[in-house]
């Protein structure tokens, strides 16, 4: 009795095993062994800063040769070299470092406050207030730190009512850009010498009423720039970093001192 | 007899005693008048005057742009000072027509001439209401000419005059029903003529006995009108709950009252319809309550649209003490004001100045949700705010939508009854905004892709 049970189970087990071996061979998915090796090198934040959907997707793209070996901005040059070794290519020049930048300088001492707000302490909630938040400026940083909450790298903090990016820690993953309900954060080259630190699109008199550090859209900067890098976009100065040479003439002339050296 | 009402709701202190005994005072503004181009649901109107143009009271200064839009009428005579971006009462900067008021209130020709509505066809009446710029004056701002032209007019069997005025503090509808019932009854008569299969119900909460008596006197001898006493409960005046209380018909999400054979209008709107059709007076003024414990002399006013809140507040004696919170609209659904130098638009009916901020007090006492379910019992729409809160906080928008979170009317009842003092209504308002923006973005993206595919 016991023997027949053992025999039946053993035979069944053997058959199953054979089936598994056969199907394993038959339906094998070809993977590049380099893909998992590349994945090992990547930091695993899944932040999406590379432009792919997480580290797995970037590893697959690198293995296929669609993405550069130094495609991970978080890892930077060291990870780039590791990946290059796996792929057997040269790491090449490091990618230009990019960082997030908050287009607002409306700290507590220069902008006026409309009201005292109590309630949910997030920027999205403050946006539902009439007049968009506590500050009189309806375009400025709300200061409730939704960007800071979204950042995985501890690179953005609210200081004196305005979000400030820590350029050494920022990897330009873009999480804060998506989190800011005012759309004030943009990704700029870290080497960019100048930046317009205001996002108010109203005309001068309206801006002056609400903030001492606001772009009044006078256009002096546009006239100063010899390279055509500065334009006015809806009453606010805008610098095209492709053209900007960093001469600083726009910043010199800016009456509101809102084009600043970074 | 048991008073009619709806399931759920709350009983905030009505606080109407501050101003309910004060007769309506006609306020003629003297300062500059500001007319936002968007005082209604739908597309903003398009200006038809230029800077420097002389205008007369009752003249159209901006034309409705499209079907869901409304004309803007100058309520004073003077000169157009500017057409520019200004801060409006909703706290947004929007295009406004600014008129230098000459204080004479010279009327445009033809205003005040008495017309006989019985000789007019439905289309003519709708046209007149549209020209007069009448919108839902209870606060929604839905253009009335659309309400008066439902797809199946023969199926309308109820005309509901909304005199519930369920928001605490506000008393201007109450006073209007007491002082000018003939305007309201006149408006109802016009609607009864337009919808021959209908009968009219004037629905009033039972905390306004004087208004009920006044309306009953005014409709004496009318066979197709009745006054219905409703239970005093918030939000009795919301369209969905009012239709249910009066007709026992339930509005599904997305339904309009006309889908259930009803036309529901605020009493002030009906008065405006009467004045537009029979007296040829476009919408230039409306009832308005200035009240609260920080106001020197709370009262009811007939105020010109476009007057600044600050000027009207002066007419009410200004502040008695420094207010801690100023609300435009009712305390449940109104918006906190930060600047009173903004114009009174068509949709606003009260300015409430309080010496104490109840929200601040509640915020200090906020604790975790204890899942008592009081919010679910109180929600007049039948939602489960407790679960919506859970998912909204975790930004799980799919589940929020599954709970019909987008049908929240933002009445504030859940936050009012919550023993843990959680800011539910604010959270839902914000979450709805985020979801609607996301949906709009997705729709726009799909549209772009469709067009790209065509090319």
């Amino acid at each position: 009795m016991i023997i027949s049970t053992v025999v039946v189970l053993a035979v069944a087990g053997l058959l199953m095993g054979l089936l598994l071996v056969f199907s394993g061979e038959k339906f094998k998915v070809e993977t590049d062994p380099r893909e998992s090796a590349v994945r090992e090198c990547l930091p695993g934040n899944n932040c999406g800063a590379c432009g792919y959907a997480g580290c797995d997707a970037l590893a697959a793209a690198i293995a296929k040769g669609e993405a550069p070996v130094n495609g991970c901005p978080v890892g930077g040059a060291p990870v780039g070299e590791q990946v290059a070794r796996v792929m057997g290519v040269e790491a090449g020049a490091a990618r230009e470092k990019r960082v997030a930048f908050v287009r607002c300088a409306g700290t507590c001492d220069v902008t006026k406050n409309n009201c005292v707000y109590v309630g949910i302490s997030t920027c999205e909630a403050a946006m539902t207030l009439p007049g968009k938040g506590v500050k009189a400026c309806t375009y400025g940083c709300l200061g409730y730190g939704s960007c800071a909450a979204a950042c995985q790298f501890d690179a953005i903090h609210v200081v004196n009512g305005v979000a400030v990016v820590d350029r050494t820690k920022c990897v330009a993953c873009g999480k804060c850009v998506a989190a800011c309900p005012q759309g004030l954060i943009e990704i700029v080259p870290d080497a960019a010498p100048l930046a317009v630190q205001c996002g108010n699109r109203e005309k001068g008199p309206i801006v002056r009423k609400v903030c001492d550090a606001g772009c009044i859209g006078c256009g002096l900067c546009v006239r100063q720039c010899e390279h055509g890098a500065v334009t006015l976009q809806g009453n606010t100065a805008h610098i095209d970093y492709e053209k900007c040479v960093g001469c600083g003439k726009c910043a010199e002339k800016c009456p509101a001192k809102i084009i600043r050296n970074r | 007899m048991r008073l009619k009402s709806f399931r759920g709701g709350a009983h905030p202190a009505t606080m109407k005693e501050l101003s309910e005994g004060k007769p309506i005072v006609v306020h003629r503004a003297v300062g500059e008048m500001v007319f936002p181009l968007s005082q209604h649901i739908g597309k903003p109107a398009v200006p038809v005057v230029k800077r420097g143009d002389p205008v007369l009271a009752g003249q159209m200064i901006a034309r409705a742009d499209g079907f869901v839009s409304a004309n803007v009428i100058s309520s004073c005579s003077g000169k157009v000072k500017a057409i520019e971006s200004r801060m409006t009462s909703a706290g947004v900067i929007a295009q406004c027509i600014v008129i230098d008021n000459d204080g004479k209130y010279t009327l445009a020709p033809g205003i005040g001439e008495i017309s006989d509505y019985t000789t007019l066809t439905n289309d003519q009446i709708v046209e007149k209401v549209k020209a007069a710029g009448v919108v839902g004056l209870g606060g929604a701002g839905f253009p009335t000419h659309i309400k008066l032209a439902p797809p199946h007019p023969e199926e309308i069997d109820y005309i509901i005059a909304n005199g519930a005025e369920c928001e605490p503090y506000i008393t201007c509808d109450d006073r209007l029903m007491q002082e000018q019932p003939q305007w309201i009854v006149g408006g109802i008569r016009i609607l009864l003529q337009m919808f021959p299969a209908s009968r009219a119900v004037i629905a009033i909460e039972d905390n306004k006995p004087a208004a009920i008596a006044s309306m009953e006197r005014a409709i004496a001898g009318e066979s197709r009108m009745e006054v219905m006493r409703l239970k005093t409960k918030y939000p009795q005046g919301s369209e969905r709950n009012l239709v249910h209380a009066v007709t026992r018909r339930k509005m599904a999400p997305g339904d309009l009252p006309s889908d259930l054979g009803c036309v529901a209008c605020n009493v002030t709107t009906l008065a405006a319809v009467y004045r537009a059709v029979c007296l040829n007076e476009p919408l230039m003024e409306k009832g308005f309550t200035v009240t609260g414990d920080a106001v020197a002399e709370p009262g009811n006013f007939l105020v010109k649209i476009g007057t600044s809140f600050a000027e009207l507040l002066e007419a009410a004696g200004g502040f008695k003490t420094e207010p801690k919170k100023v609300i435009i609209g009712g305390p449940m659904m109104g918006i906190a004001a930060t600047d009173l130098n903004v114009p009174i638009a068509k949709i606003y009916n009260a300015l409430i100045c309080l010496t104490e901020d109840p929200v601040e007090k509640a915020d200090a006492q906020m604790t975790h949700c204890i899942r008592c379910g009081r919010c679910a019992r109180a929600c007049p729409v039948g939602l489960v705010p407790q679960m919506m809160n859970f998912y909204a906080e975790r930004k799980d928008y799919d589940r929020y939508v599954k709970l019909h979170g987008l049908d929240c009317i933002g009445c504030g009842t859940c936050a009012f009854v919550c023993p843990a003092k959680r800011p539910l209504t604010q959270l839902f308002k914000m979450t709805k905004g985020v979801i609607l923006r996301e949906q709009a973005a997705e729709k726009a993206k799909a549209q772009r892709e469709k067009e790209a595919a065509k090319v």
Side-chain angles (χ1 to χ4, degrees):
Chain A
M1 189 64 196
I2 293 171
I3 293 170
S4 59
T5 313
V6 169
V7 169
V8 167
L9 283 177
V11 171
L14 199 68
L15 285 175
M16 300 278 180
L18 285 172
L19 186 72
L20 282 175
V21 169
F22 172 74
S23 54
E25 284 298 318
K26 172 92 182 163
F27 303 112
K28 197 172 166 185
V29 179
E30 285 296 331
T31 50
D32 194 334
R34 292 180 304 179
E35 184 181 324
S36 53
V38 169
R39 175 67 188 80
E40 291 288 302
C41 304
L42 296 176
N45 291 74
N46 285 319
C47 63
C50 50
Y52 290 88
C55 297
D56 286 345
L58 176 65
I62 292 176
K64 275 187 207 141
E66 287 169 4
V69 286
N70 54 5
C72 175
V74 178
V79 167
E81 272 165 31
Q82 277 182 43
V83 176
R85 231 173 291 140
V86 170
M87 297 294 292
V89 293
E90 281 293 306
R95 274 200 348 178
E96 180 192 35
K97 184 172 162 60
R98 291 160 74 80
V99 291
F101 172 70
V102 184
R103 272 184 298 137
C104 180
T107 48
C108 297
D109 39 306
V110 294
T111 185
K112 289 165 195 71
N113 279 2
N114 267 341
C115 56
V116 182
Y117 168 63
V118 282
I120 305 168
S121 287
T122 64
C123 297
E124 294 92 342
M127 276 290 278
T128 61
L129 296 180
K132 291 189 183 170
V134 169
K135 287 175 188 167
C137 174
T138 53
Y139 296 89
C141 175
L142 299 160
Y144 287 95
S146 282
C147 47
C151 184
Q152 295 177 355
F153 303 95
D154 192 35
I156 189 164
H157 301 278
V158 176
V159 182
N160 197 11
V162 169
V164 178
V165 177
D166 182 341
R167 283 161 64 182
T168 54
K169 288 182 183 167
C170 181
V171 299
C173 68
K175 282 271 162 71
C176 52
V177 177
C180 180
Q182 293 281 47
L184 275 178
I185 308 180
E186 60 186 6
I187 304 288
V188 299
D190 188 39
L194 298 152
V196 183
Q197 213 166 349
C198 179
N200 195 318
R201 290 186 286 278
E202 293 296 335
K203 285 183 184 155
I206 297 180
V207 179
R208 278 234 170 95
K209 251 183 235 168
V210 295
C211 184
D212 295 338
C215 174
I216 53 174
C218 61
L220 272 179
C221 47
V222 179
R223 286 196 286 282
Q224 283 304 311
C225 187
E226 292 157 7
H227 309 276
V230 191
T231 48
L232 274 188
Q233 293 189 351
N235 300 316
T236 310
H238 178 83
I239 298 176
D240 182 350
Y241 292 116
E242 298 279 307
K243 294 180 186 163
C244 177
V245 297
C247 64
K249 281 186 182 160
C250 51
E252 247 170 57
K253 277 283 169 182
C254 179
K257 298 283 164 244
I258 200 59
I259 300 184
R260 298 179 180 192
N261 288 313
R262 294 181 69 229
Chain B
M1 196 189 92
R2 242 184 100 200
L3 294 171
K4 295 212 168 160
S5 193
F6 62 98
R7 182 195 152 279
H11 298 275
T14 60
M15 305 304 284
K16 298 203 189 248
E17 57 279 3
L18 284 168
S19 57
E20 67 187 354
K22 305 282 175 62
I24 294 175
V25 177
V26 177
H27 177 73
R28 281 166 74 106
V30 288
E32 69 171 23
M33 307 283 266
V34 182
F35 300 91
L37 294 176
S38 183
Q39 306 187 30
H40 48 262
I41 289 179
K43 276 174 94 177
V46 182
V48 292
V49 288
K50 297 188 304 293
R51 196 175 155 200
D53 281 359
V55 288
L56 297 171
Q59 185 184 330
M60 179 174 75
I61 49 176
R63 185 185 296 281
D65 182 20
F67 182 60
V68 185
S69 186
N71 290 348
V72 177
I73 311 291
S74 171
S75 61
C76 64
S77 56
K79 230 180 194 175
V80 178
K81 201 169 160 188
I83 298 174
E84 59 182 19
S85 296
R86 286 254 184 147
M87 190 59 121
T88 64
S89 6
V92 288
I93 296 169
Q95 282 288 308
C96 297
I97 299 178
V98 185
I99 292 181
D100 216 355
N101 182 8
D102 62 10
K104 292 180 196 138
Y105 289 93
T106 320
L107 289 174
I111 289 181
E113 278 174 16
I114 292 167
S115 314
D116 183 6
Y117 70 91
T118 53
T119 60
L120 299 174
T121 64
N122 283 7
D123 290 346
Q124 283 170 322
I125 293 173
V126 169
E127 208 39 60
K128 268 188 130 171
V129 170
K130 187 176 178 186
V134 180
V135 300
L137 298 175
F142 188 71
T144 305
H145 62 265
I146 300 172
K147 246 184 199 181
L148 296 188
H152 303 290
E154 67 287 348
E155 281 173 16
I156 301 293
D157 54 356
Y158 270 105
I159 287 161
I160 303 171
N162 184 354
E165 201 165 53
C166 59
E167 276 269 12
Y169 286 96
I170 308 178
T171 54
C172 53
D173 289 0
D174 182 10
R175 290 308 306 186
L176 184 82
M177 288 188 280
Q178 288 179 47
E179 295 178 33
Q180 304 290 355
Q182 76 282 3
W183 284 352
I184 300 163
V185 174
I188 296 173
R189 280 202 196 105
I190 295 168
L191 263 64
L192 284 175
Q193 181 195 300
M194 293 178 77
F195 307 110
S198 63
R199 67 195 184 94
V201 177
I202 303 162
I204 308 172
E205 280 190 348
D206 71 334
N207 64 348
K208 294 180 259 298
I212 294 172
S214 156
M215 290 314 294
E216 273 175 348
R217 269 198 307 281
I219 64 164
E222 298 275 354
S223 58
R224 289 167 69 196
M225 295 186 203
E226 67 168 302
V227 173
M228 185 181 280
R229 289 155 63 100
L230 299 175
K231 199 167 167 183
T232 303
K233 187 162 79 170
Y234 180 84
Q236 188 70 74
S238 112
E239 199 168 65
R240 180 184 298 268
N241 297 319
L242 189 74
V243 166
H244 180 63
V246 173
T247 67
R248 294 281 135 206
R249 293 172 194 170
K250 277 194 180 162
M251 272 166 78
D255 268 1
L256 292 173
S258 63
D259 297 332
L260 300 177
C262 302
V263 171
C265 283
N266 190 277
V267 286
T268 323
T269 316
L270 288 166
V273 168
Y274 168 75
R275 294 176 73 180
V277 176
C278 295
L279 307 179
N280 287 307
E281 287 175 351
L283 183 62
M284 293 188 282
E285 52 189 11
K286 71 168 296 188
F288 198 91
T289 304
V290 182
T291 183
D293 53 2
V295 176
E297 294 158 31
N300 301 295
F301 298 87
L302 200 57
V303 64
K304 303 282 176 198
I305 286 160
T307 311
S308 84
F309 283 96
E311 189 182 337
L312 190 67
L313 183 69
E314 283 310 307
F319 291 130
K320 181 164 67 181
T321 47
E322 188 59 31
K324 235 181 153 181
K325 180 143 202 164
V326 179
I327 305 169
I328 293 174
M332 297 295 278
M333 286 189 79
I335 48 176
T338 53
D339 181 5
L340 288 179
N341 282 310
V342 290
I344 294 174
K346 292 174 186 176
I347 54 172
Y348 296 111
N349 47 14
L351 181 71
I352 301 169
C353 312
L354 305 174
T355 49
E356 191 181 74
D357 183 356
V359 177
E360 195 181 336
K361 243 170 88 185
D363 191 65
Q365 298 166 358
M366 189 173 91
T367 57
H368 292 288
C369 172
I370 55 169
R371 291 179 169 68
C372 63
R374 232 186 256 187
C375 49
R377 281 201 298 279
C379 179
V381 190
L383 304 176
V384 194
Q386 170 200 321
M387 296 301 289
M388 284 156 59
N389 173 54
F390 186 85
Y391 292 127
E393 276 181 350
R394 281 153 191 77
K395 298 197 168 37
D396 189 343
Y397 297 140
D398 291 341
R399 285 214 173 88
Y400 181 86
V401 172
K402 259 189 203 157
L403 288 169
H404 296 277
L406 293 180
D407 296 327
C408 168
I409 56 171
C411 64
T413 312
C414 50
F416 178 78
V417 299
C418 180
K421 311 277 182 213
R422 299 199 66 80
L424 298 167
T425 310
Q426 192 197 4
L427 183 66
F428 300 154
K429 208 171 158 184
M430 164 187 134
T431 308
K432 262 176 82 174
V434 172
I435 295 175
L436 293 177
R437 271 199 300 278
E438 271 180 14
Q439 286 181 351
E442 265 169 37
K443 216 173 148 188
K445 201 178 154 196
Q447 185 72 30
R448 270 200 309 276
E449 276 167 10
K450 213 171 148 192
E451 271 165 27
K454 258 187 208 164
V455 173

